[in-house]
Amino acid sequence: MIDFQDIQTDLLARIAASDQPRTILKTPELREVYAGIRNAEDKAVYGAQVNTLKSALEAAIATREAELTAADIAPIDVTAPMDVNAPIPALLPSERGTTHPLTQEIARVIEIFGRMGFASEESREIDDQYHMFETLNFPKGHPARDDYDTFMTVEKDGDGDPLIAPAHTSTMQNRVMRKYRDQLEAGEAIAAVVPDRVFRNEDLDARHEHTFYQVEGVYVAKGVHAGMLIATLKEFLQEYYGRELQVRVNPFYFPFTEPSFEFALSCPFCGGEDPACKVCSGEGWIELLGCGMVHPNVLRAADIDPNEYTGFAFGCGIDRLVMMKYQIEDIRHLESAKLDFLEQF
Ligand code: DAH
């Protein structure tokens, strides 16, 4: 007959004194207890006794483990006076953290446009349909509204329309034009870029994220023409990629520009020389962004007379720019919070 009481007393004492209390579950005595079930007269009673013993041991092990962990951590006296002369411990590079690659690249985009005379503004993460569509010459019911996979909220704006998460930075065009409109009268141009987050209800894959970044550009003055748009973008991209590039425009359609263009650049990696290039898939050209001459209705919505002033605008995905610069193959890495990836920048 096994004396459960005896065994329990013995094992509890050993657990309380052990530095590795969990190893006690493997002692030969206990194995014998488990094996005893084979010969037990009443297996149900025996099994219940084994279970009681096991629970008692588990509880004691947990208590002992907690004691050991507490002892490992030196107590901190939060009331102790601080030694202001103590050297600040040097951080390992891994502890120092890095700025997110998108943050670095947005700063670079702002800096390049800044040198070209563009102010920078921030967008917002909730906006209304008036700025998302109406000011941009998409009246209610315009079919192109559906192209934007816009996230709607349950909150309504003053017109009773759901507030939205902006699906492009063009939502800021009207605000930027109004903010800087006085400069036109002073004979200066409106010149601003708006880099910020945008949101789309997209199916996700290596090239599509629901949350990504765009930079919007707006330039309005007297006598602005498409040549100035193309030169500005070319200059920016050459500066950003640090090399000479060819650029190409194709006609396109956006409600807020007329004419509208799709803007392509020669591959910043192979320059069109490598048929196996991973960045341009051997095409030599990369369709990068949308742009055009600001539609007269968009100027009117900002109380700017289109007979007196003209402007250009563009919208460029920043994630795309950055992915090409560093040859990042999957856009989802950028928002993944994976340190292995982020620490490379
Ligand atoms: N908002 C457009 C988009 O996200 C991009 C764009 C095209 C912006 C033309 C512009 C523009 O300012 O003129 O698809």
Side-chain angles (χ1 to χ4, degrees):
M1 259 301 270
I2 289 179
D3 186 336
F4 278 93
Q5 198 54 53
D6 250 18
I7 293 178
Q8 180 164 328
T9 314
D10 175 43
L11 292 181
L12 288 183
R14 282 164 56 185
I15 287 169
S18 171
D19 280 349
Q20 290 186 308
R22 198 154 287 280
T23 57
I24 303 224
L25 292 177
K26 302 227 159 66
T27 52
E29 292 98 304
L30 209 49
R31 291 216 187 128
E32 235 170 77
V33 170
Y34 296 150
I37 188 130
R38 261 181 274 131
N39 308 320
E41 273 167 39
D42 187 336
K43 291 197 187 340
V45 172
Y46 191 92
Q49 283 173 312
V50 170
N51 283 337
T52 313
L53 173 64
K54 262 170 60 182
S55 316
L57 297 180
E58 282 291 350
I61 288 170
T63 311
R64 180 64 186 148
E65 281 177 342
E67 257 173 40
L68 290 168
T69 327
D72 273 352
I73 302 169
I76 297 172
D77 178 1
V78 292
T79 63
M82 184 176 140
D83 178 1
V84 288
N85 296 317
I88 296 166
L91 291 176
L92 297 170
S94 59
E95 294 169 325
R96 223 181 275 142
T98 54
T99 35
H100 193 282
L102 284 170
T103 309
Q104 294 174 26
E105 297 306 315
I106 289 169
R108 176 97 179 106
V109 168
I110 292 175
E111 183 245 331
I112 297 173
F113 277 113
R115 280 192 273 127
M116 294 163 81
F118 285 77
S120 92
E121 294 290 331
E122 278 182 10
S123 178
R124 40 185 77 198
E125 302 206 336
I126 292 293
D127 211 326
D128 50 33
Q129 301 201 25
Y130 177 73
H131 287 92
M132 173 77 206
F133 297 122
E134 233 101 299
T135 58
L136 294 168
N137 194 37
F138 301 77
K140 277 215 165 75
H142 194 293
R145 284 191 178 208
D146 295 339
D147 294 345
Y148 284 83
D149 302 316
T150 311
F151 284 113
M152 306 276 171
T153 75
V154 292
E155 297 290 327
K156 302 265 166 65
D157 64 15
D159 298 334
D161 291 322
L163 293 171
I164 47 115
H168 56 179
T169 41
S170 304
T171 42
M172 293 300 292
Q173 283 198 16
N174 185 265
R175 293 194 183 91
V176 164
M177 288 182 200
R178 287 185 177 280
K179 176 168 175 185
Y180 293 104
R181 199 177 39 191
D182 292 349
Q183 293 183 187
L184 293 177
E185 267 132 60
E188 286 171 36
I190 296 174
V193 287
V194 188
D196 220 323
R197 272 177 147 178
V198 293
F199 310 89
R200 286 191 198 178
N201 190 2
E202 300 246 29
D203 291 336
L204 308 186
D205 61 30
R207 292 164 65 88
H208 296 93
E209 252 290 17
H210 50 69
T211 301
F212 55 101
Y213 284 81
Q214 285 188 332
V215 56
E216 190 78 10
V218 180
Y219 187 90
V220 181
K222 282 194 172 150
V224 178
H225 55 80
M228 293 159 85
L229 163 64
I230 294 163
T232 303
L233 289 173
K234 181 173 179 183
E235 186 61 30
F236 163 71
L237 290 167
Q238 293 193 145
E239 197 64 26
Y240 185 77
Y241 287 113
R243 65 176 286 177
E244 293 269 313
L245 297 167
Q246 304 299 313
V247 301
R248 188 175 77 179
V249 291
N250 280 324
F252 206 72
Y253 173 75
F254 297 103
F256 35 95
T257 39
E258 181 57 40
S260 305
F261 308 111
E262 193 170 54
F263 187 96
L265 68 157
S266 55
C267 178
F269 279 94
C270 72
E273 307 286 311
D274 177 7
C277 175
K278 283 213 183 99
V279 174
C280 68
S281 320
E283 303 267 314
W285 290 97
I286 291 162
E287 300 288 358
L288 184 67
L289 57 89
C291 57
M293 300 305 293
V294 179
H295 194 287
N297 286 347
V298 175
L299 293 173
R300 275 189 208 105
D303 287 332
I304 295 172
D305 180 358
N307 295 317
E308 218 178 321
Y309 300 100
T310 48
F312 66 73
F314 56 87
C316 174
I318 297 179
D319 308 64
R320 274 296 301 287
L321 274 185
V322 176
M323 285 169 75
M324 277 204 283
K325 181 163 175 181
Y326 295 114
Q327 306 204 32
I328 298 166
E329 73 288 354
D330 192 326
I331 190 172
R332 291 168 294 190
H333 291 328
L334 292 168
E335 300 272 343
S336 68
K338 282 190 196 132
L339 286 181
D340 288 354
F341 168 76
L342 295 173
E343 279 171 353
Q344 301 173 72
F345 298 93

